[in-house]
Amino acid sequence: MPLLVPPAPAPALRSVLAALSSPTAVREARPPALRTAQGPLSPEFPLPFHVLDGIIPSSRPPRTRLTGWRFLIRSGDRTVAAADTMLTPDGWAFSHFCEGPYIASSVLALRQAEAMTSRYQPRLLSVPELYMLTLWLHDGPEAGAEASDTMPLPTDLLVPLAPAPPGIASHRPHRVADLLPLLTHRLTPPAAVPLLSQSA
C-alpha cells in the first residue's frame, strides 16, 4: 500500500537542489557515489529525521526531536546517496551528503513498508546511544499528522536498518511498545554488586 510521504519544507528541498547543482556551494567534497554517478541527480522521498533521547530510565520520559530532513538521491533508476538538511536560526539549510549501508537499507525498508496492508507515514528515527537508525512507520488515523510530532505511538512500527546493533535483527518490524523496552534494557547499567569482605 502506498506510503503517506509527508511534504518536506520547501526551503529544505531548495537547499538540496542548490547543493546538487553547484558543487562550490558545498564545503565538503562530494562522496564517491555522487562523483561517479552517471546522468542527472534528483532528490526524492523526503524523510523527516528524528532523534530519540532519554531512553535510559530517569525522571524524564523518552522523547524525540525533529533534527532534519533526509532526501534520497537518485541517479537513473538507482538510489546512490542521501542529502541531509538541518534547521538553523535562518530556517532549513543543507547539511551534508552521505552514503554507505544505511542508504540501501533505507530503500529496502521502504519497499517492505509499501508491501504492508496498512498505510504508514515514513520517518527516520536515530538512537545515538546505540548507534542505531530505524525506519519509523507512523500508524493509525493520525498517519497524516505533522512530521514534527515528537513521540511514537505504541502501535507504530520501528524497522532497524542494517547494520543494526548485535542481537537486533535488521529489517524486522517491531512495535514501539515492544522495541523501546528492549532498547532501554540494553542501555541500563547493571546494578553494582557489593564486594564481600574476606575474613583473615
Side-chain angles (χ1 to χ4, degrees):
M1 186 171 288
L3 296 172
L4 297 165
V5 182
L13 176 58
R14 285 197 299 268
S15 72
V16 171
L17 290 171
L20 287 172
S21 62
S22 175
T24 59
V26 182
R27 284 179 287 181
E28 61 189 32
R30 288 188 176 195
L34 290 181
R35 294 199 302 268
T36 60
Q38 301 294 320
L41 299 168
S42 60
E44 298 181 355
F45 229 110
L47 295 168
F49 197 106
H50 293 255
V51 172
L52 179 62
D53 295 317
I55 63 174
I56 298 176
S58 67
S59 58
R60 301 175 62 180
R63 63 201 179 281
T64 67
R65 51 192 170 88
L66 178 67
T67 61
W69 284 78
R70 173 168 290 182
F71 295 78
L72 300 181
I73 306 299
R74 291 182 65 84
S75 173
D77 60 353
R78 294 178 55 242
T79 300
V80 295
D84 284 1
T85 63
M86 60 184 178
L87 189 59
T88 72
D90 297 323
W92 291 101
F94 175 78
S95 174
H96 62 277
F97 292 115
C98 53
E99 59 180 353
Y102 281 142
I103 306 304
S105 186
S106 296
V107 173
L108 176 57
L110 287 166
R111 287 176 181 162
Q112 290 176 310
E114 287 178 335
M116 295 177 180
T117 56
S118 299
R119 294 190 75 184
Y120 295 99
Q121 184 189 81
R123 306 169 179 184
L124 291 172
L125 182 64
S126 171
V127 186
E129 291 113 321
L130 289 174
Y131 302 98
M132 180 180 181
L133 184 62
T134 72
L135 179 66
W136 169 12
L137 299 173
H138 188 54
D139 185 23
E142 287 136 18
E146 291 294 325
S148 58
D149 287 355
T150 55
M151 270 310 295
L153 299 173
T155 55
D156 286 357
L157 297 180
L158 296 177
V159 183
L161 300 183
I168 297 178
S170 57
H171 295 284
R172 179 182 172 186
H174 299 265
R175 287 166 57 102
V176 166
D178 298 328
L179 185 59
L180 282 190
L182 175 62
L183 301 183
T184 300
H185 177 73
R186 280 175 168 259
L187 290 171
T188 302
V193 178
L195 296 176
L196 298 177
S197 59
Q198 295 181 346
S199 57

